Amino acid sequence: GNSVTQMEGPVTLSEEAFLTINCTYTATGYPSLFWYVQYPGEGLQLLLKATKADDKGSNKGFEATYRKETTSFHLEKGSVQVSDSAVYFCALYTGNQFYFGTGTSLTVIP
Amino acid sequence: DADVTQTPRNRITKTGKRIMLECSQTKGHDRMYWYRQDPGLGLRLIYYSFDVKDINKGEISDGYSVSRQAQAKFSLSLESAIPNQTALYFCATADGLIQETQYFGPGTRLLVL
């Protein structure tokens, strides 16, 4: 079946620290992979995506590379800001449905 | 104005009551989805619809029903609410031609006593 496993939180970092949130997936076929972000009190927003192996998605300083050999799509940012505090969801899309991970809460302290 | 709206934003109800959550979108998308979000479980798909006459069950459809009244409207009903349906509910839309990006509403927080 299809599923997404992501790093459990919560994660607390100091401003300007390096961020990695791990995500691995199980899927039939060739899914597209996504990171969504949820700010407090809001719905999810697309952060970045990659549609095929070796693609790198990037946005707002965040990056993730679609690694088929390790079935991974880890989210990274070189220098986090307080405004990055949110819950991050890894997801895959198979053509009919999205499958979401459980979410990782990130808090960035000044 | 928001592209995907949900009403109500918050609701408290009692066990056994019928309740409807509504979702409207102005994006012109044909695909619409209902999810629930629970702490530690992420988002789980309840129902989805690819067109007005198309309704599909998701991972956790038991205890829920939906109605796609028009392309822009997709309602979720709890016929007889129970406490374990207390959750945050999200509606989402997607373009059938660019299927891969979903646009989420702000959510409805439901408490069943």
Side-chain angles (χ1 to χ4, degrees):
Chain A
N2 301 305
S3 66
V4 174
T5 301
Q6 66 180 99
M7 172 177 160
E8 295 216 4
V11 174
T12 302
L13 295 174
S14 297
E15 205 165 24
E16 299 184 2
F18 184 85
L19 169 71
T20 299
I21 301 178
N22 290 338
C23 172
T24 57
Y25 68 90
T26 302
T28 53
Y30 303 95
S32 296
L33 301 175
F34 303 80
W35 279 100
Y36 277 82
V37 58
Q38 183 181 30
Y39 298 104
E42 298 183 10
L44 279 71
Q45 303 172 27
L46 178 66
L47 179 60
L48 54 83
K49 69 178 183 182
T51 57
K52 61 183 188 297
D54 300 325
D55 271 2
K56 178 186 284 188
S58 61
N59 185 26
K60 299 182 180 179
F62 291 90
E63 293 183 340
T65 301
Y66 189 145
R67 301 283 187 204
K68 187 165 181 279
E69 64 275 12
T70 54
T71 62
S72 65
F73 192 56
H74 304 320
L75 182 68
E76 297 183 336
K77 186 174 185 182
S79 176
V80 293
Q81 305 300 312
V82 172
S83 57
D84 294 327
S85 298
V87 181
Y88 293 82
F89 291 90
C90 184
L92 68 85
Y93 177 72
T94 62
N96 276 340
Q97 297 184 28
F98 276 79
Y99 297 85
F100 288 86
T102 54
T104 300
S105 175
L106 170 67
T107 301
V108 180
I109 54 178
Chain B
D1 287 342
D3 294 319
V4 184
T5 57
Q6 293 183 233
T7 55
R9 293 294 312 278
N10 295 279
R11 181 73 183 266
I12 300 173
T13 192
K14 295 182 179 179
T15 297
K17 293 291 187 182
R18 184 179 187 274
I19 183 169
M20 179 182 288
L21 310 183
E22 306 212 19
C23 176
S24 294
Q25 52 116 346
T26 58
K27 298 191 75 66
H29 289 167
D30 47 358
R31 299 188 172 200
M32 297 187 75
Y33 304 78
W34 275 105
Y35 294 91
R36 65 177 279 175
Q37 183 180 20
D38 299 276
L41 296 178
L43 271 73
R44 293 181 292 166
L45 183 63
I46 305 172
Y47 272 95
Y48 61 103
S49 167
F50 286 174
D51 202 345
V52 174
K53 295 183 180 178
D54 177 72
I55 300 291
N56 303 282
K57 292 183 177 180
E59 180 187 357
I60 53 163
S61 59
D62 287 350
Y64 301 95
S65 62
V66 291
S67 173
R68 185 82 184 266
Q69 303 97 315
Q71 190 191 39
K73 295 185 184 297
F74 192 37
S75 301
L76 176 72
S77 293
L78 288 66
E79 296 300 328
S80 180
I82 56 176
N84 78 0
Q85 292 177 312
T86 293
L88 186 54
Y89 289 85
F90 286 104
C91 174
T93 74
D95 185 328
L97 295 178
I98 313 171
Q99 302 160 15
E100 297 173 337
T101 300
Q102 291 198 324
Y103 295 84
F104 284 80
T108 294
R109 191 169 295 278
L110 176 65
L111 174 62
V112 183
L113 300 175

Short mmCIF file of all heavy atoms in Angstrom, two decimals, chain A residues 13-41:
data_model
loop_
_atom_site.label_atom_id
_atom_site.label_comp_id
_atom_site.label_asym_id
_atom_site.label_seq_id
_atom_site.Cartn_x
_atom_site.Cartn_y
_atom_site.Cartn_z
N LEU A 13 14.38 24.52 17.56
CA LEU A 13 15.69 24.98 17.09
C LEU A 13 15.86 26.45 17.41
O LEU A 13 14.88 27.20 17.50
CB LEU A 13 15.82 24.80 15.57
CG LEU A 13 15.82 23.38 15.03
CD1 LEU A 13 15.79 23.42 13.51
CD2 LEU A 13 17.04 22.62 15.51
N SER A 14 17.10 26.85 17.52
CA SER A 14 17.41 28.28 17.65
C SER A 14 17.43 28.92 16.27
O SER A 14 17.71 28.25 15.25
CB SER A 14 18.76 28.47 18.33
OG SER A 14 18.73 27.96 19.63
N GLU A 15 17.13 30.18 16.22
CA GLU A 15 17.16 30.90 14.95
C GLU A 15 18.53 30.74 14.29
O GLU A 15 19.56 30.72 14.97
CB GLU A 15 16.87 32.38 15.21
CG GLU A 15 16.31 33.11 14.02
CD GLU A 15 15.70 34.46 14.41
OE1 GLU A 15 16.10 35.01 15.47
OE2 GLU A 15 14.83 34.94 13.68
N GLU A 16 18.53 30.58 12.98
CA GLU A 16 19.70 30.40 12.12
C GLU A 16 20.28 28.98 12.18
O GLU A 16 21.29 28.71 11.52
CB GLU A 16 20.80 31.42 12.43
CG GLU A 16 20.33 32.87 12.20
CD GLU A 16 21.43 33.88 12.41
OE1 GLU A 16 22.56 33.48 12.70
OE2 GLU A 16 21.15 35.08 12.29
N ALA A 17 19.67 28.08 12.91
CA ALA A 17 20.13 26.69 12.93
C ALA A 17 19.73 25.99 11.63
O ALA A 17 18.85 26.45 10.90
CB ALA A 17 19.54 25.95 14.12
N PHE A 18 20.39 24.85 11.38
CA PHE A 18 20.08 24.02 10.21
C PHE A 18 18.93 23.07 10.55
O PHE A 18 18.89 22.49 11.63
CB PHE A 18 21.32 23.21 9.81
CG PHE A 18 21.14 22.41 8.56
CD1 PHE A 18 21.35 22.98 7.32
CD2 PHE A 18 20.76 21.07 8.63
CE1 PHE A 18 21.18 22.25 6.15
CE2 PHE A 18 20.59 20.32 7.46
CZ PHE A 18 20.79 20.91 6.22
N LEU A 19 18.01 22.92 9.59
CA LEU A 19 16.84 22.07 9.81
C LEU A 19 16.86 20.88 8.86
O LEU A 19 17.10 21.04 7.66
CB LEU A 19 15.56 22.87 9.54
CG LEU A 19 14.27 22.06 9.46
CD1 LEU A 19 13.88 21.53 10.84
CD2 LEU A 19 13.14 22.89 8.86
N THR A 20 16.60 19.71 9.41
CA THR A 20 16.28 18.53 8.60
C THR A 20 15.06 17.87 9.22
O THR A 20 15.05 17.62 10.43
CB THR A 20 17.43 17.50 8.58
OG1 THR A 20 18.59 18.10 8.02
CG2 THR A 20 17.04 16.29 7.75
N ILE A 21 14.07 17.59 8.39
CA ILE A 21 12.93 16.77 8.80
C ILE A 21 12.88 15.58 7.85
O ILE A 21 12.73 15.74 6.64
CB ILE A 21 11.59 17.54 8.75
CG1 ILE A 21 11.65 18.76 9.67
CG2 ILE A 21 10.45 16.61 9.18
CD1 ILE A 21 10.38 19.62 9.63
N ASN A 22 13.02 14.39 8.41
CA ASN A 22 13.09 13.19 7.58
C ASN A 22 11.71 12.71 7.14
O ASN A 22 10.73 12.78 7.91
CB ASN A 22 13.77 12.06 8.35
CG ASN A 22 15.25 12.33 8.54
OD1 ASN A 22 15.85 13.10 7.80
ND2 ASN A 22 15.84 11.71 9.54
N CYS A 23 11.66 12.21 5.92
CA CYS A 23 10.43 11.65 5.37
C CYS A 23 10.79 10.47 4.47
O CYS A 23 11.64 10.61 3.59
CB CYS A 23 9.68 12.69 4.56
SG CYS A 23 8.26 12.04 3.65
N THR A 24 10.17 9.34 4.71
CA THR A 24 10.31 8.20 3.81
C THR A 24 8.92 7.75 3.38
O THR A 24 7.93 8.03 4.06
CB THR A 24 11.05 7.03 4.47
OG1 THR A 24 10.35 6.66 5.66
CG2 THR A 24 12.48 7.39 4.81
N TYR A 25 8.86 7.05 2.26
CA TYR A 25 7.55 6.68 1.73
C TYR A 25 7.55 5.24 1.23
O TYR A 25 8.61 4.67 0.93
CB TYR A 25 7.13 7.64 0.62
CG TYR A 25 7.97 7.52 -0.64
CD1 TYR A 25 7.62 6.64 -1.66
CD2 TYR A 25 9.14 8.26 -0.78
CE1 TYR A 25 8.41 6.52 -2.79
CE2 TYR A 25 9.93 8.16 -1.90
CZ TYR A 25 9.57 7.28 -2.90
OH TYR A 25 10.34 7.15 -4.02
N THR A 26 6.35 4.71 1.13
CA THR A 26 6.10 3.42 0.48
C THR A 26 5.00 3.67 -0.53
O THR A 26 3.96 4.26 -0.19
CB THR A 26 5.63 2.37 1.49
OG1 THR A 26 6.62 2.21 2.50
CG2 THR A 26 5.39 1.03 0.80
N ALA A 27 5.24 3.28 -1.78
CA ALA A 27 4.24 3.55 -2.80
C ALA A 27 4.36 2.56 -3.94
O ALA A 27 5.45 2.06 -4.24
CB ALA A 27 4.39 4.97 -3.34
N THR A 28 3.23 2.31 -4.57
CA THR A 28 3.23 1.56 -5.81
C THR A 28 3.35 2.56 -6.95
O THR A 28 2.80 3.66 -6.87
CB THR A 28 1.95 0.73 -5.96
OG1 THR A 28 0.83 1.62 -5.79
CG2 THR A 28 1.86 -0.34 -4.89
N GLY A 29 4.07 2.19 -7.99
CA GLY A 29 4.22 3.11 -9.10
C GLY A 29 5.19 4.22 -8.81
O GLY A 29 6.13 4.07 -8.02
N TYR A 30 4.93 5.38 -9.40
CA TYR A 30 5.86 6.51 -9.32
C TYR A 30 5.11 7.73 -8.82
O TYR A 30 4.61 8.54 -9.59
CB TYR A 30 6.46 6.76 -10.71
CG TYR A 30 7.15 5.54 -11.25
CD1 TYR A 30 6.50 4.65 -12.10
CD2 TYR A 30 8.46 5.23 -10.87
CE1 TYR A 30 7.13 3.51 -12.57
CE2 TYR A 30 9.10 4.10 -11.34
CZ TYR A 30 8.42 3.23 -12.19
OH TYR A 30 9.04 2.10 -12.65
N PRO A 31 5.06 7.88 -7.50
CA PRO A 31 4.27 8.99 -6.95
C PRO A 31 4.97 10.32 -7.10
O PRO A 31 6.19 10.38 -7.32
CB PRO A 31 4.16 8.61 -5.47
CG PRO A 31 5.44 7.87 -5.19
CD PRO A 31 5.71 7.07 -6.46
N SER A 32 4.22 11.39 -6.95
CA SER A 32 4.79 12.72 -6.73
C SER A 32 4.87 12.94 -5.22
O SER A 32 4.07 12.40 -4.46
CB SER A 32 3.89 13.78 -7.37
OG SER A 32 3.84 13.61 -8.76
N LEU A 33 5.85 13.74 -4.82
CA LEU A 33 6.10 13.95 -3.40
C LEU A 33 6.00 15.43 -3.06
O LEU A 33 6.35 16.29 -3.88
CB LEU A 33 7.48 13.42 -3.02
CG LEU A 33 7.71 11.94 -3.28
CD1 LEU A 33 9.16 11.55 -2.98
CD2 LEU A 33 6.76 11.08 -2.45
N PHE A 34 5.54 15.70 -1.85
CA PHE A 34 5.22 17.06 -1.45
C PHE A 34 5.63 17.32 0.00
O PHE A 34 5.67 16.40 0.82
CB PHE A 34 3.69 17.31 -1.52
CG PHE A 34 3.11 17.06 -2.86
CD1 PHE A 34 2.82 15.78 -3.29
CD2 PHE A 34 2.85 18.12 -3.71
CE1 PHE A 34 2.29 15.54 -4.55
CE2 PHE A 34 2.30 17.90 -4.96
CZ PHE A 34 2.02 16.61 -5.38
N TRP A 35 5.89 18.58 0.28
CA TRP A 35 5.89 19.08 1.64
C TRP A 35 4.84 20.19 1.73
O TRP A 35 4.84 21.12 0.91
CB TRP A 35 7.26 19.62 2.05
CG TRP A 35 8.20 18.54 2.47
CD1 TRP A 35 9.18 17.96 1.73
CD2 TRP A 35 8.24 17.91 3.75
NE1 TRP A 35 9.83 17.01 2.47
CE2 TRP A 35 9.27 16.95 3.71
CE3 TRP A 35 7.50 18.06 4.93
CZ2 TRP A 35 9.59 16.14 4.81
CZ3 TRP A 35 7.81 17.25 6.01
CH2 TRP A 35 8.85 16.31 5.95
N TYR A 36 3.95 20.03 2.73
CA TYR A 36 2.97 21.06 3.04
C TYR A 36 3.32 21.65 4.40
O TYR A 36 3.87 20.97 5.27
CB TYR A 36 1.56 20.48 3.09
CG TYR A 36 0.90 20.33 1.75
CD1 TYR A 36 1.16 19.23 0.94
CD2 TYR A 36 -0.01 21.29 1.29
CE1 TYR A 36 0.55 19.10 -0.31
CE2 TYR A 36 -0.62 21.16 0.05
CZ TYR A 36 -0.34 20.07 -0.73
OH TYR A 36 -0.95 19.94 -1.97
N VAL A 37 2.93 22.92 4.61
CA VAL A 37 3.18 23.59 5.88
C VAL A 37 1.85 24.11 6.42
O VAL A 37 0.99 24.57 5.66
CB VAL A 37 4.21 24.73 5.74
CG1 VAL A 37 3.77 25.77 4.73
CG2 VAL A 37 4.50 25.37 7.09
N GLN A 38 1.68 23.98 7.73
CA GLN A 38 0.46 24.46 8.39
C GLN A 38 0.86 25.44 9.49
O GLN A 38 1.44 25.04 10.50
CB GLN A 38 -0.32 23.29 8.98
CG GLN A 38 -1.64 23.70 9.61
CD GLN A 38 -2.38 22.50 10.21
OE1 GLN A 38 -1.78 21.53 10.64
NE2 GLN A 38 -3.70 22.58 10.22
N TYR A 39 0.54 26.71 9.29
CA TYR A 39 0.79 27.72 10.30
C TYR A 39 -0.36 27.70 11.30
O TYR A 39 -1.47 27.27 10.98
CB TYR A 39 0.95 29.09 9.67
CG TYR A 39 2.13 29.17 8.74
CD1 TYR A 39 1.97 29.16 7.36
CD2 TYR A 39 3.43 29.21 9.25
CE1 TYR A 39 3.06 29.21 6.51
CE2 TYR A 39 4.52 29.26 8.40
CZ TYR A 39 4.33 29.25 7.04
OH TYR A 39 5.40 29.27 6.20
N PRO A 40 -0.13 28.15 12.51
CA PRO A 40 -1.17 28.08 13.55
C PRO A 40 -2.50 28.67 13.10
O PRO A 40 -2.56 29.79 12.59
CB PRO A 40 -0.54 28.88 14.70
CG PRO A 40 0.93 28.74 14.51
CD PRO A 40 1.13 28.71 13.03
N GLY A 41 -3.55 27.89 13.29
CA GLY A 41 -4.90 28.35 12.97
C GLY A 41 -5.26 28.37 11.50
O GLY A 41 -6.32 28.89 11.13
#
